[in-house]
């Protein structure tokens, strides 16, 4: 087990070298008003798309030019301002500084901007306990620093009120982000209008996962498949990775989306999803908990995006 962990650490260091030199640059923009004093989402840090439905996978997207670019700009000018919650998907940690990689900092900056646009107090829910792809980050005391804890500290430093920050530490992947955000927070809190924030490279699959699970819960548990109104806010990937790193991650995301759709096609009740998650999934099934002692990603290009 120690050898496996050592191999993961070495691979992680090699992967980190594949980030671009400007990886630690953090862009902060003020949220400014648009025409007539209305909030303008084009000035939310790093925001590149805002959709009410899951966006296309990257391989299927047309080039955004001309009328397409104008349509994107128009859509970005009218963000929701009545959200019940903003869900921020964590995305790995580092051993330096605030423990956050630059793509996670961007997601958090976007959340801060969106939170300031809301017409009522709106919590940001930080999602993520860790990842099976790398060992956890530890405090000097030996205690684990959960991904969502590092994210919460960043939001506090950025000016978010502590009482408007929530955490979820049960999830160890995007599937878990969606499930536990729903089971632990959205359902008991009675949320309906939810903003989901993650990186553009991560959004096509994330949006499908959240929409599928939230729709299933709405239909099966609440009698309304449209109970939850989700808006998907994607952050820019520009300048984060070498091209081959970004391409490798986008390819993996597309493959994982195909796998999810096959699995989800058999879910008729919310209990079906629960059973599948806890009986078969690598991160949550007791029968597979030994998999956490194995290196799950061998390609350093791909590991650089975790």
């Amino acid at each position: 087990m120690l050898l496996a962990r050592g191999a993961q650490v070495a691979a992680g260091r090699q992967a980190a070298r594949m980030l671009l030199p400007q990886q630690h640059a953090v862009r902060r923009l003020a949220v400014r008003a648009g025409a007539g004093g209305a909030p303008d989402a084009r000035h939310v840090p790093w925001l590149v798309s805002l959709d009410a439905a899951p966006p296309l996978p990257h391989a299927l997207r047309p080039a955004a030019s001309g009328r397409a670019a104008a349509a994107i700009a128009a859509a970005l000018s009218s963000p929701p301002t009545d959200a019940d919650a903003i869900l921020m998907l964590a995305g790995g940690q580092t051993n330096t500084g605030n423990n956050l990689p630059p793509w996670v900092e961007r997601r958090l900056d976007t959340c801060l901007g969106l939170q300031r646009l809301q017409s009522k107090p709106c919590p940001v829910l930080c999602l993520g306990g860790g990842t099976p792809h790398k060992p956890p980050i530890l405090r000097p005391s030996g205690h684990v620093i959960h991904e969502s804890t590092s994210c919460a500290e960043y939001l506090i430093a950025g000016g978010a009120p502590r009482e408007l920050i929530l955490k979820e530490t049960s999830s160890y992947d995007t599937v878990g982000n969606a499930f536990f955000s729903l089971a632990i927070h959205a359902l008991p809190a009675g949320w309906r209008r939810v903003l989901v924030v993650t990186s553009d490279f991560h959004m096509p699959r994330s949006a499908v996962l959240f929409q599928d699970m939230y729709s299933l819960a709405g239909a099966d548990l609440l009698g309304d498949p449209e109970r939850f109104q989700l808006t998907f806010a994607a952050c820019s990937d520009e300048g984060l990775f070498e091209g081959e790193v970004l391409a490798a991650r986008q390819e993996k995301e597309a493959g994982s989306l195909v796998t999810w759709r096959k699995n989800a096609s058999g879910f008729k009740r919310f209990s079906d999803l629960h059973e599948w998650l806890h009986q078969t999934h690598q991160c949550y099934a007791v029968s597979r908990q030994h998999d956490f002692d194995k290196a799950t990603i061998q390609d350093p290009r791909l590991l650089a995006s975790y």
Side-chain angles (χ1 to χ4, degrees):
M1 289 192 291
L2 291 176
L3 288 176
R5 283 296 191 199
Q8 283 184 292
V9 172
R13 289 172 178 164
Q14 181 179 357
R17 291 194 289 271
M18 302 186 74
L19 288 170
L20 293 181
Q22 63 267 39
Q23 61 173 309
H24 294 299
V26 177
R27 178 188 182 208
R28 293 190 177 279
L29 300 177
V31 175
R32 297 195 290 272
D40 191 336
R42 284 173 291 185
H43 300 294
V44 173
W46 302 113
L47 186 64
V48 294
S49 70
L50 199 62
D51 298 290
L56 287 172
H58 293 84
L60 301 179
R61 294 183 185 181
S65 60
R67 294 179 63 183
I72 291 173
L76 285 175
S77 67
S78 303
T81 58
D82 60 348
D84 295 319
I86 300 168
L87 312 188
M88 201 293 301
L89 281 68
Q93 294 189 99
T94 69
N95 281 304
T96 60
N98 61 14
N99 299 130
L100 296 172
W103 55 91
V104 176
E105 291 181 334
R106 290 189 181 186
R107 299 176 194 181
L108 291 162
D109 287 338
T110 297
C111 288
L112 287 169
L114 290 170
Q115 188 181 49
R116 292 170 188 141
L117 292 179
Q118 302 309 305
S119 60
K120 61 182 181 180
C122 177
V124 176
L125 171 59
C126 301
L127 299 169
T131 174
H133 305 307
K134 293 180 179 179
I137 304 298
L138 303 179
R139 298 188 187 279
S141 64
H143 293 87
V144 172
I145 303 175
H146 293 114
E147 290 184 4
S148 56
T149 296
S150 295
C151 292
E153 290 175 351
Y154 187 96
L155 291 174
I156 292 168
R162 291 174 184 265
E163 65 271 18
L164 291 180
I165 303 171
L166 300 171
K167 295 196 302 182
E168 175 277 311
T169 59
S170 297
S171 62
Y172 279 77
D173 75 330
T174 312
V175 172
N177 291 160
F179 180 84
F180 291 110
S181 71
L182 177 59
I184 296 176
H185 289 278
L187 284 170
W191 295 339
R192 299 190 66 148
R193 294 173 294 276
V194 177
L195 277 159
V196 180
V197 178
T198 192
S199 300
D200 189 49
F201 70 78
H202 191 222
M203 184 57 83
R205 180 170 68 98
S206 299
V208 171
L209 289 169
F210 275 79
Q211 182 148 297
D212 284 354
M213 292 192 205
Y214 276 63
S215 296
L216 181 63
D220 184 38
L221 304 181
L222 303 172
D224 181 4
E226 298 182 1
R227 165 81 177 193
F228 299 101
Q229 301 171 26
L230 305 182
T231 301
F232 304 105
C235 310
S236 172
D237 301 329
E238 183 179 358
L240 286 174
F241 309 106
E242 297 287 356
E244 62 180 9
V245 172
L246 185 59
R249 181 59 187 267
Q250 289 174 347
E251 181 179 358
K252 181 181 184 297
E253 289 292 317
S256 297
L257 177 55
V258 171
T259 300
W260 164 256
R261 283 179 165 148
K262 290 179 180 177
N263 290 322
S265 65
F267 302 153
K268 307 303 180 185
R269 305 289 300 273
F270 195 68
S271 59
D272 297 334
L273 170 60
H274 177 273
E275 180 179 5
W276 170 82
L277 186 75
H278 293 287
Q279 295 299 324
T280 70
H281 195 288
Q282 173 196 0
C283 296
Y284 312 108
V286 172
S287 62
R288 299 190 63 190
Q289 63 187 20
H290 59 281
D291 288 347
F292 266 68
D293 292 319
K294 299 177 182 178
T296 54
I297 295 177
Q298 302 296 336
D299 185 348
R301 298 173 305 164
L302 185 55
L303 196 60
S305 66
Y306 283 90

